[in-house]
Amino acid sequence: MEIRYRELAENLKQRILGGLYREGQKLPSLRKLSQEYGVSVGTVQNAYVLLEEEGLVYASSKSGYFVMHKPEVADQRNIAKREVFPVSIANWDEISRFSSASYNFDILELGRGMPDVSTSSLNSLMKNLSGDFKGLLRSPMYYESIKGSLQLRSEIARHLIDSGMSLSSEDVIITSGGQEALSCTVRILCKENDIVAIESPAFHGIIQTLKAYGIRVIEVPCDASFGIDISILKIALSKYRISALILNPTCNNPLGFSMPVASREELVRLAAEKEFHIIEDDTYGDLYYAYPRPPSLSTFEGGEKVITLGSFSKTLGPGLRIGWVVPGELYEKILHEKYVSSGSSFTAGQKAIAEFMKGGEYRIHLRKMRERYSRNVKRARDLVVKHVDVPMVLSRPSGGYYLWIEFPNYVNADSLNSLIVGHGIQIGSGRVFSVAGQYSNCIRLNCSGTIDERFESGILKIGEVVRELQAKDISLK
């Protein structure tokens, strides 16, 4: 019977995909197909259930089965070749609201930038943090070097070989998270009222760092496959002098793209020609799904203008607050900013991560998480297509664990969030990823956790509310 119903399902699927049955059309009844194919009613029922699971049909109570209305789903959004110019930054209130709240296990937190911290591949790291390994007895109570643990700096230098960088421990400074690495670098390169170019959309932590120092920003739009639009950047550079360009070229947050090698090379060449520095945020670089991962911008000719930084917050856990920066020619200046900013960083965290890397467990953990996040994002994407029946643009990440969704303009992400929070669901509003409050019709979904019934129920509820907003928009026209 199993073979028969699968054959029947495949036959019906081909009819649907071939256009024999149109979207919204009622499909033949169970009895009619039973007679047509000479199979039992139960076999037809099982075939329809299989098609329903694939998102091709849906059941209507007492009415039978119908062909699913497939939403218009695109992988790319069109980038208009528009003029960009410096603006001041606002938009702190929304970020303050979700950053000030503690993690709530009763809420499906789809808006947080959290990796999966429940995985068993972190067990030995947790053991290290408890101090249960040789040499970590009283040492966490002492200051570590302001440069950071020698062992951890050595392990990071060794690990960055995968990105094409050739470093020693003396090239690396440990910071209190990636945010401190960014802040120290910005303070060296920029002064109040300077202009910095960033990707758009961009990580809100970058935006708010620039706001804190009174820096004006040029937002350069990004293509979901190729990254920052270099042609628009060139237009901006012909009119304005920038102090730095900040970008996240590998496993971008929030779009998930990884910039092609040719674009990386062109960008570094442009920085050398126009004499500005590039701050390369490599926080998600270790989560690139394929092997080998893309090369760091600093590895190209002219790479001395690149300052690369990263963090363990998105690969291990944000509570560790351990980041790093490779300052190049700005080493001493950034080291001084680090001293002024926080002194030495969390000693126990540094030692625990160094041991975790030394034993090869970090690489094992990354391999496991890359595979999991790749599956999760694909599964989440399929669920969004299945349950959110409106035209939309969905990202296709090359790494990381975020899915970016661009809805029609009648969907306001803040309104959507307020309508679903009562159902125990929270999403990331696209508005916080822009200096000027763009992307109010976009959301970022975190797919790092288990894609289970609870997750699917959350997507189902998002779909219901989005359709309500669509109906309301139609009724007003």
Side-chain angles (χ1 to χ4, degrees):
M1 174 179 157
E2 180 180 348
I3 295 176
R4 297 299 301 278
Y5 89 75
R6 290 188 180 278
E7 289 177 349
L8 176 57
E10 183 61 30
N11 190 303
L12 292 170
K13 178 178 179 179
Q14 293 307 316
R15 289 188 178 191
I16 292 170
L17 297 178
L20 185 60
Y21 298 130
R22 299 181 304 280
E23 291 185 11
Q25 181 178 345
K26 184 177 180 180
L27 293 162
S29 67
L30 301 181
R31 188 172 300 279
K32 184 174 182 179
L33 281 181
S34 170
Q35 294 171 350
E36 181 181 344
Y37 285 92
V39 295
S40 70
V41 171
T43 297
V44 179
Q45 176 76 54
N46 287 334
Y48 273 144
V49 169
L50 187 60
L51 292 173
E52 192 173 13
E53 290 175 350
E54 292 186 24
L56 292 170
V57 306
Y58 67 96
S60 179
S61 179
K62 299 182 181 180
S63 298
Y65 285 89
F66 295 79
V67 178
M68 180 73 78
H69 290 279
K70 297 300 285 181
E72 298 173 33
V73 178
D75 296 333
Q76 299 285 339
R77 60 190 183 93
N78 294 322
I79 298 178
K81 297 296 183 183
R82 57 182 175 81
E83 182 179 1
V84 292
F85 48 85
V87 295
S88 298
I89 303 168
N91 202 20
W92 161 246
D93 292 347
E94 174 69 11
I95 297 164
S96 174
R97 183 187 62 76
F98 70 73
S99 298
S100 300
S102 299
Y103 191 87
N104 189 339
F105 290 95
D106 295 326
I107 293 179
L108 183 62
E109 298 252 23
L110 300 179
R112 290 262 183 170
M114 279 278 294
D116 180 3
V117 295
S118 64
T119 174
S120 60
S121 55
L122 290 177
N123 287 349
S124 65
L125 175 64
M126 300 303 293
K127 186 178 179 182
N128 290 351
L129 282 168
S130 71
D132 190 17
F133 65 90
K134 186 176 180 181
L136 187 58
L137 294 173
R138 298 194 177 196
S139 56
M141 305 301 290
Y142 291 96
Y143 284 121
E144 184 51 89
S145 163
I146 189 175
K147 297 178 180 179
S149 156
L150 175 59
Q151 183 183 356
L152 180 57
R153 287 185 285 124
S154 298
E155 292 297 335
I156 290 172
R158 188 176 298 114
H159 182 75
L160 288 175
I161 290 173
D162 285 352
S163 62
M165 301 174 77
S166 180
L167 306 170
S168 75
S169 60
E170 293 305 306
D171 297 311
V172 181
I173 298 173
I174 304 300
T175 59
S176 298
Q179 199 68 22
E180 184 183 47
L182 175 66
S183 296
C184 290
T185 305
V186 167
R187 289 200 299 271
I188 290 300
L189 294 178
C190 309
K191 61 183 183 299
E192 189 174 1
N193 288 322
D194 273 6
I195 301 172
V196 167
I198 64 171
E199 301 163 310
S200 185
F203 170 49
H204 50 78
I206 292 172
I207 294 171
Q208 294 305 317
T209 296
L210 297 174
K211 172 183 171 64
Y213 301 124
I215 294 167
R216 293 178 295 159
V217 171
I218 293 177
E219 290 186 282
V220 183
C222 281
D223 177 276
S225 294
F226 301 104
I228 193 166
D229 191 313
I230 298 178
S231 64
I232 294 180
L233 176 63
K234 286 180 178 178
I235 293 171
L237 290 171
S238 70
K239 299 179 178 182
Y240 307 102
R241 179 174 180 80
I242 68 172
S243 298
L245 166 67
I246 306 176
L247 74 168
N248 176 199
T250 307
C251 309
N252 174 269
N253 173 22
L255 293 181
F257 66 78
S258 291
M259 184 183 288
V261 169
S263 299
R264 292 169 187 253
E265 189 171 16
E266 182 180 2
L267 202 57
V268 174
R269 189 165 57 245
L270 184 63
E273 177 188 331
K274 296 294 186 179
E275 298 184 331
F276 62 85
H277 281 84
I278 297 176
I279 303 176
E280 177 186 26
D281 180 359
D282 197 49
T283 298
Y284 294 86
D286 282 343
L287 298 178
Y288 187 72
Y289 298 149
Y291 185 86
R293 56 151 291 167
S296 164
L297 298 178
S298 65
T299 63
F300 295 95
E301 184 177 353
E304 61 273 7
K305 286 287 185 182
V306 178
I307 297 97
T308 304
L309 56 87
S311 168
F312 293 99
S313 293
K314 307 304 181 182
T315 55
L316 296 178
L320 292 166
R321 307 312 305 149
I322 299 297
W324 51 267
V325 59
V326 180
E329 60 189 12
L330 300 177
Y331 186 94
E332 289 300 328
K333 290 182 178 180
I334 289 180
L335 184 63
H336 180 258
E337 286 297 322
K338 159 65 178 167
Y339 170 77
V340 172
S341 175
S342 68
S344 59
S345 297
F346 179 38
T347 303
Q350 293 187 63
K351 290 183 178 296
I353 295 172
E355 287 293 323
F356 192 63
M357 297 182 78
K358 181 181 177 182
E361 290 157 303
Y362 183 56
R363 287 186 177 276
I364 294 171
H365 168 73
L366 288 176
R367 193 157 53 242
K368 176 180 178 179
M369 302 321 291
R370 288 186 200 111
E371 293 174 358
R372 176 178 297 178
Y373 294 153
S374 177
R375 288 195 307 269
N376 282 7
V377 168
K378 182 182 184 304
R379 175 65 176 146
R381 200 176 192 277
D382 290 344
L383 289 173
V384 170
V385 171
K386 179 179 178 182
H387 294 307
V388 186
D389 189 13
V390 299
M392 56 188 163
V393 180
L394 289 177
S395 62
R396 284 191 181 274
S398 61
Y401 39 77
Y402 299 128
L403 186 63
W404 180 261
I405 307 174
E406 181 178 340
F407 291 118
N409 288 331
Y410 55 73
V411 178
N412 180 280
D414 293 331
S415 299
L416 175 60
N417 218 359
S418 65
L419 290 169
I420 63 177
V421 72
H423 298 275
I425 308 163
Q426 180 261 335
I427 55 174
S429 170
R431 186 169 59 87
V432 302
F433 296 92
S434 167
V435 172
Q438 301 178 70
Y439 315 116
S440 60
N441 61 321
C442 301
I443 65 173
R444 188 192 73 175
L445 294 183
N446 185 332
C447 308
S448 65
T450 306
I451 309 299
D452 53 11
E453 289 184 8
R454 186 186 183 204
F455 185 95
E456 183 168 7
S457 295
I459 300 300
L460 190 61
K461 175 53 67 176
I462 290 171
E464 289 175 6
V465 174
V466 166
R467 284 192 295 275
E468 290 172 8
L469 294 172
Q470 181 187 43
K472 183 177 180 181
D473 179 71
I474 292 172
S475 69
L476 293 174
K477 291 182 177 178

